Amino acid sequence: MRVNAYAAPSAGQPLAPTTIERREVGANDVLIAVDYAGICHSDIHTVNGDWGPQPFPVVPGHEIVGTVTEVGSDVARHAVGDRVGVGCMVKSCGTCDNCRNGDEQYCRDGMVGTYAATDRDGTTTQGGYSTHVVVDADYVLSVPESLDAAAAAPLLCAGITTYSPLKHWQAGPGKRVAVVGLGGLGHMAVKIAHAMGAEVTVLSQSLKKQEDGLRLGADHYFATSDPDTFEALASSFDLIINTVSAKIDVSAYLGLLAVNGAMVNVGAPAEPLSLNVFSLLSNRRTFAGSMIGGIAETQEMLDFCAEHGIVSEVEVIAADQVNEAYERVLASDVRYRFVIDTSTLG
Ligand code: NAP
Ligand code: ZN
């Protein structure tokens, strides 16, 4: 079927309306009418070529919430009319040790990304900035009805990408967690870490968003443009989640970790990050990374968010505002996630 979409025609070019082909619904597939699609900074890195060449035209979008309109003959877990979500991954081998452990994002055959990736049938995947998507049922999540659909969309990437490391590194009561960057991922990290019971500090470039940060669940808020911040907070955190989309001075942030503390990088800037190893040796610190989360863990995160009434702070936009939204994200002027109302795709 031919559906309306918004695509980047080539690297760095503005997105424009187009149509794309969706495959026929296979036995284990679900056809989803997309209601909302979040704008992740990864969409911008991809279409701007920050991460290397891409199979243009690219339809981004991996924070999808929609309604099931058709299911294949073998699908039992989703039914027509269900409210569902799709995140960053639409397929993996399902049989390797990582897939079997629920870490499909680290599939040994490589997970298939929701867009700009080569699917198992050789076609290129196209994402959620479109009216419909066909996805293997095993990679489709159930989105609790109690969550607002538009505000739930960012949970599918920003939510799971922060939930997974917060859980893995045991954020909870008695843990001092710092979140670097109060953007899409950062504001979800604040809400989720707070709900897990951790003491949460935001480290933002300025104090412009301090009131918001405290309202979202942070206990403390500091500006990283103020050099005193790094002295005042030296050796004071158990866990730092870095969500910054640009290069930062990693060693300076490592200095904020207490003994056995870990700094987890989820930000994925174009440029390599460097560090002074002495900032790791001291206090037996860890510098780590984490990529999204597995399917079962994503469902667990959605259920956790429903239980705690957590959604993203969103600004819902029409499709023709996408390019302007990209500019605002690049200027750190997002509060805190843009979400496309896909009914505006015509
Ligand atoms: P975002 O909404 O743009 O947030 C990034 C935040 O970083 C900004 O709001 C800003 O926060 C801070 N920042 C931006 N430029 C900075 C600079 N030059 N120096 C210091 N701080 C700066 O982006 P996002 O959607 O949250 O994504 C963040 C990063 O995570 C991106 O690189 C994205 O590709 C990556 N990502 C990774 C995964 C994964 O699986 N690991 C998943 C999704 C996204 P303040 O204004 O508060 O300083
Ligand atoms: Zn994303």
Side-chain angles (χ1 to χ4, degrees), residues 158 196 282 330:
M196 288 174 169
S282 171
L330 286 169

Side-chain angles (χ1 to χ4, degrees), residues 88 95 209 260 331:
C88 303
T95 55
K209 296 179 275 192
N260 295 330

Side-chain angles (χ1 to χ4, degrees), residues 34-338:
V34 180
D35 294 316
Y36 296 99
I39 295 180
C40 177
H41 205 120
S42 299
D43 303 349
I44 304 174
H45 286 307
T46 304
V47 306
N48 282 350
D50 289 352
W51 297 341
Q54 301 296 330
F56 290 103
V58 169
V59 176
H62 58 207
E63 294 186 336
I64 302 169
V65 168
T67 310
V68 175
T69 57
E70 192 183 331
V71 295
S73 52
D74 292 349
V75 176
R77 69 158 85 177
H78 303 291
V80 171
D82 284 359
R83 188 210 266 172
V84 292
V86 178
C88 303
M89 168 170 59
V90 291
K91 193 74 186 165
S92 68
C93 82
T95 55
C96 73
D97 49 350
N98 294 340
C99 283
R100 277 187 279 112
N101 285 337
D103 285 325
E104 299 93 340
Q105 73 277 32
Y106 307 127
C107 173
R108 288 187 185 273
D109 268 2
M111 68 162 206
V112 177
T114 303
Y115 60 81
T118 305
D119 211 340
R120 296 288 190 247
D121 63 5
T123 60
T124 299
T125 56
Q126 300 286 10
Y129 299 6
S130 66
T131 56
H132 297 79
V133 65
V134 177
V135 180
D136 184 310
D138 294 343
Y139 299 82
V140 175
L141 290 308
S142 299
V143 177
E145 292 283 345
S146 63
L147 300 176
D148 177 76
L155 300 180
L156 277 304
C157 173
I160 185 59
T161 301
T162 50
Y163 179 89
S164 184
L166 285 167
K167 185 148 186 236
H168 185 82
W169 276 273
Q170 297 167 345
K175 287 282 169 82
R176 299 156 297 177
V177 175
V179 176
V180 189
L182 193 69
L185 266 56
H187 91 292
M188 290 312 311
V190 169
K191 288 190 177 202
I192 293 169
H194 174 70
M196 288 174 169
E199 182 180 344
V200 183
T201 300
V202 173
L203 302 176
S204 181
Q205 291 167 95
S206 72
L207 295 178
K208 271 192 286 194
K209 296 179 275 192
Q210 182 170 23
E211 218 174 279
D212 288 350
L214 298 176
R215 175 175 56 81
L216 299 177
D219 301 286
H220 318 282
Y221 201 104
F222 290 86
T224 53
S225 53
D226 180 351
D228 289 348
T229 292
F230 290 87
E231 271 192 38
L233 300 177
S235 300
S236 68
F237 298 112
D238 302 300
L239 177 62
I240 298 175
I241 305 286
N242 174 29
T243 76
V244 174
S245 49
K247 189 173 177 172
I248 59 163
D249 180 356
V250 175
S251 302
Y253 288 88
L254 287 171
L256 306 184
L257 289 171
V259 170
N260 295 330
M263 172 161 168
V264 184
N265 218 84
V266 292
E271 313 81 11
L273 299 177
S274 61
L275 61 86
N276 177 337
V277 291
F278 287 97
S279 56
L280 280 178
L281 307 188
S282 171
N283 281 359
R284 194 167 44 209
R285 294 164 173 140
T286 301
F287 184 54
S290 183
M291 190 171 75
I292 53 171
I295 293 297
E297 191 178 33
T298 304
Q299 190 62 58
E300 175 187 304
M301 175 277 308
L302 287 165
D303 297 341
F304 175 92
C305 287
E307 188 189 323
H308 293 271
I310 294 175
V311 283
S312 174
E313 308 289 299
V314 297
E315 190 171 332
V316 178
I317 60 167
D320 63 6
Q321 294 172 280
V322 165
N323 295 303
E324 196 186 313
Y326 275 24
E327 289 306 317
R328 285 185 52 197
V329 172
L330 286 169
S332 299
D333 179 26
V334 52
R335 301 201 181 190
Y336 283 87
R337 202 59 144 181
F338 290 106

